[in-house]
Amino acid sequence: MKLSTSEENYIKAIFKLQDLHNTVPATLLAAEVKTKAASVTDMLKKLYSKKIIHYKPYKNFTLTNAGKKIALDIIRKHRLWEYFLVHKLGMNWDEVHPIAEEMEHVNNPLLIQKLDEYLEHPCFDPHGDPIPDKNGNIRMVEQSDICSSPIKKTLTVSSIKDQSITMMDLLKHYQIKIGTKLKLVRKFDFDGSVEIKIEKLAPTIISNQVAKNIFCTQ
Amino acid sequence: MKLSTSEENYIKAIFKLQDLHNTVPATLLAAEVKTKAASVTDMLKKLYSKKIIHYKPYKNFTLTNAGKKIALDIIRKHRLWEYFLVHKLGMNWDEVHPIAEEMEHVNNPLLIQKLDEYLEHPCFDPHGDPIPDKNGNIRMVEQSDICSSPIKKTLTVSSIKDQSITMMDLLKHYQIKIGTKLKLVRKFDFDGSVEIKIEKLAPTIISNQVAKNIFCTQ
DNA sequence: TAAAAAGTTTAGACAAATCTAAAAATAAAT
DNA sequence: ATTTATTTTTAGATTTGTCTAAACTTTTTA
């Protein structure tokens, strides 16, 4: 089934809002896809006719399993492209979202398979959000912030909680990105700061405030 | 000026047909963009209003300079993506065209600049067609078929005249692609066949028929 | 629990890009 | 040069996604 860019955007938005709020109000969805409530109603009827959502007028609506599968596939494409833009083209993670928003609608399964292979099957996008696999499964990986991670084990940075400009600025200085491999050398009890050792770099100390925001997998 | 995918496709098609035939009949353009003559008329009026083409009813039409610039920019994007798909993702050159057809409409100058850098400013796409630079200039490079190239100089395969399946099959066997570096070792007068040496491979002999179809830059 | 507020849907309109069928202009052919 | 054929344009309809304004549900609140 071929879907329009607009339909795909609605599906993605419903998926996102479904995750955040248990029930999705049409007005919120309208804001998310930057349109008006009346337009949302039209689209809901269309998506219902395509069995992408469960829908009864004036009632709540949710994605069907088929709808969720489609949403996860779009999210997969989006995040793989974001990964590509940052890790291959060297773009900044704060400028890739709108581009990936366009690329995610390029529809070609072989392309995405090849891209995934080329990127070596990444699990997290540059914002630290998990990348669903080709079957729509999000492999749940044990993540913990640096402070709570075991000492002297190789950790891989998988997500950053605080995505503010100031935080990103600091991470840039420390040369820490999603995917960076590092070791927790020791913790200082006085202020909760920690010493870390990043591959090929001299050990440094980062504050507790920063360490708490950096999540890693083992 | 933001252009729709449809407008971009018309511009690209006009550019292509303008190159092939001196004057572009609307019916041919209709076939090229897979639509009907009546739709073409509508679009021509629109493109005229945007100063992308010169147009008078019932008369021939041509791209303005602005229109040509736009066309070259779309072609640039198309060919850079084709290059990426073949040389980075390892796709076959006969399957990348429809994908690049979609990717070319992703509009972000920084993206294309970064992509160009990442690919190291390629001059030819996987089909051997030249890639315009960011100003729309197609750098004219001296090309000659292998038979007419100087002996023992490093040549870079830049285009293949015959793009039939059988030819591509043969090139695959010889491990010859656009971008392959090779040397012409010697020519055999008896049948016009030539001995070539491809980087890291043992020297081989290719027939005159094949050699005549492979164009290289020095 | 009845009135007010908030949220959702219908009805009718619009813009973009397309279509068919018919009319108009140009080109070709006798 | 007039008829025929071809090409191009108009006119009116269709589809997709959107909009506003009004009508209708549902929820809140007093």
Side-chain angles (χ1 to χ4, degrees):
Chain A
M1 181 177 25
K2 252 173 299 179
L3 294 171
S4 70
T5 296
S6 189
E7 288 169 318
E8 290 194 345
N9 284 336
Y10 273 93
I11 295 168
K12 196 172 49 131
I14 296 170
F15 186 88
K16 178 180 168 185
L17 296 177
Q18 227 175 235
D19 251 27
L20 293 171
H21 317 71
N22 270 18
T23 163
V24 184
T27 31
L28 231 178
L29 179 52
E32 183 71 27
V33 299
K34 294 182 174 61
T35 184
K36 299 296 157 71
S39 311
V40 167
T41 304
D42 291 342
M43 185 56 87
L44 292 180
K45 285 195 278 191
K46 194 199 224 181
L47 294 179
Y48 174 67
S49 79
K50 293 190 176 187
K51 299 187 177 172
I52 287 167
I53 59 169
H54 299 292
Y55 173 70
K56 289 243 160 65
Y58 294 104
K59 294 276 193 72
N60 293 331
F61 50 88
T62 45
L63 290 172
T64 60
N65 284 335
K68 277 181 211 156
K69 185 79 198 352
I70 295 166
L72 284 160
D73 192 54
I74 301 166
I75 290 166
R76 170 174 165 75
K77 286 185 267 181
H78 181 102
R79 294 183 180 167
L80 283 173
W81 282 121
E82 282 204 345
Y83 190 97
F84 165 75
L85 294 171
V86 169
H87 291 96
K88 296 290 181 180
L89 296 199
M91 300 183 81
N92 299 322
W93 63 357
D94 57 328
E95 59 194 6
V96 297
H97 185 78
I99 302 175
E101 204 87 330
E102 289 189 64
M103 314 254 284
E104 75 194 8
H105 301 295
V106 174
N107 225 358
N108 188 293
L110 177 61
L111 166 65
I112 297 307
Q113 185 203 306
K114 291 280 189 181
L115 179 65
D116 186 42
E117 284 168 15
Y118 180 57
L119 302 176
E120 298 177 70
H121 314 287
C123 291
F124 298 96
D125 78 7
H127 302 94
D129 296 315
I131 301 173
D133 71 16
K134 59 178 168 293
N135 303 310
N137 297 123
I138 293 175
R139 15 210 183 321
M140 278 312 291
V141 180
E142 199 74 42
Q143 270 180 283
S144 55
D145 69 85
I146 293 188
C147 302
S148 329
S149 294
I151 280 190
K152 291 193 177 161
K153 281 209 168 180
T154 298
L155 308 170
T156 306
V157 177
S158 53
S159 78
I160 311 292
K161 211 161 66 183
D162 182 331
Q163 290 185 190
S164 64
I165 305 281
T166 49
M167 178 59 158
M168 273 148 65
D169 198 43
L170 203 60
L171 292 175
K172 200 171 184 176
H173 175 258
Y174 284 125
Q175 302 188 46
I176 294 173
K177 282 186 188 179
I178 304 293
T180 298
K181 292 194 194 310
L182 53 81
K183 272 181 191 159
L184 170 57
V185 181
R186 55 174 294 198
K187 307 187 209 183
F188 295 97
D189 290 333
F190 177 70
D191 61 354
S193 64
V194 298
E195 185 182 1
I196 58 168
K197 168 80 182 74
I198 301 174
E199 271 187 332
K200 291 170 200 160
L201 297 178
T204 24
I205 292 178
I206 59 176
S207 73
N208 180 263
Q209 226 182 322
V210 172
K212 275 194 304 194
N213 276 289
I214 303 174
F215 283 75
C216 301
T217 59
Q218 285 175 232
Chain B
M1 180 175 29
K2 252 174 300 179
L3 295 171
S4 70
T5 296
S6 189
E7 288 169 319
E8 291 195 343
N9 283 336
Y10 273 93
I11 295 169
K12 194 172 50 132
I14 296 170
F15 185 88
K16 179 179 166 184
L17 296 177
Q18 226 174 237
D19 251 27
L20 293 170
H21 319 70
N22 270 18
T23 163
V24 184
T27 32
L28 231 178
L29 178 53
E32 183 70 26
V33 298
K34 293 184 176 61
T35 186
K36 300 296 157 71
S39 310
V40 167
T41 304
D42 291 341
M43 185 56 87
L44 291 181
K45 286 194 278 191
K46 194 198 229 180
L47 294 180
Y48 174 66
S49 78
K50 294 189 175 189
K51 299 186 177 174
I52 288 166
I53 58 170
H54 299 292
Y55 173 70
K56 289 240 158 70
Y58 294 105
K59 294 274 194 72
N60 294 333
F61 50 89
T62 44
L63 290 173
T64 60
N65 285 336
K68 276 182 210 153
K69 186 81 199 349
I70 295 166
L72 284 161
D73 191 53
I74 301 166
I75 289 165
R76 169 172 165 76
K77 286 185 266 182
H78 181 102
R79 293 182 181 166
L80 282 173
W81 282 120
E82 281 204 346
Y83 190 98
F84 166 75
L85 294 171
V86 168
H87 291 96
K88 296 290 182 180
L89 296 198
M91 299 183 81
N92 299 320
W93 64 357
D94 56 331
E95 58 193 8
V96 298
H97 185 80
I99 302 175
E101 203 86 331
E102 290 189 62
M103 314 254 284
E104 75 193 8
H105 301 294
V106 174
N107 227 354
N108 188 292
L110 177 62
L111 166 66
I112 297 306
Q113 185 204 305
K114 290 280 188 181
L115 179 66
D116 186 42
E117 284 167 15
Y118 181 56
L119 301 176
E120 298 175 70
H121 315 289
C123 291
F124 297 97
D125 79 7
H127 302 94
D129 296 315
I131 301 173
D133 71 15
K134 59 179 168 293
N135 302 310
N137 297 123
I138 293 175
R139 16 207 182 322
M140 279 311 292
V141 180
E142 198 74 42
Q143 269 180 284
S144 56
D145 69 82
I146 294 188
C147 302
S148 329
S149 294
I151 279 191
K152 289 189 180 164
K153 280 210 170 179
T154 298
L155 307 171
T156 306
V157 177
S158 54
S159 78
I160 310 292
K161 210 161 66 182
D162 182 333
Q163 290 186 191
S164 64
I165 305 282
T166 48
M167 179 58 157
M168 274 147 67
D169 198 45
L170 202 61
L171 292 175
K172 199 170 185 177
H173 174 259
Y174 284 125
Q175 301 187 47
I176 295 173
K177 283 185 189 180
I178 305 294
T180 298
K181 292 193 193 311
L182 53 81
K183 272 181 190 159
L184 170 56
V185 182
R186 56 174 294 198
K187 307 187 207 183
F188 295 98
D189 290 335
F190 178 69
D191 60 355
S193 62
V194 298
E195 187 181 358
I196 58 168
K197 169 79 180 77
I198 301 174
E199 269 186 333
K200 291 168 199 162
L201 296 178
T204 25
I205 292 179
I206 59 175
S207 73
N208 180 264
Q209 226 181 322
V210 172
K212 275 193 304 195
N213 276 289
I214 304 173
F215 282 74
C216 301
T217 60
Q218 283 175 234

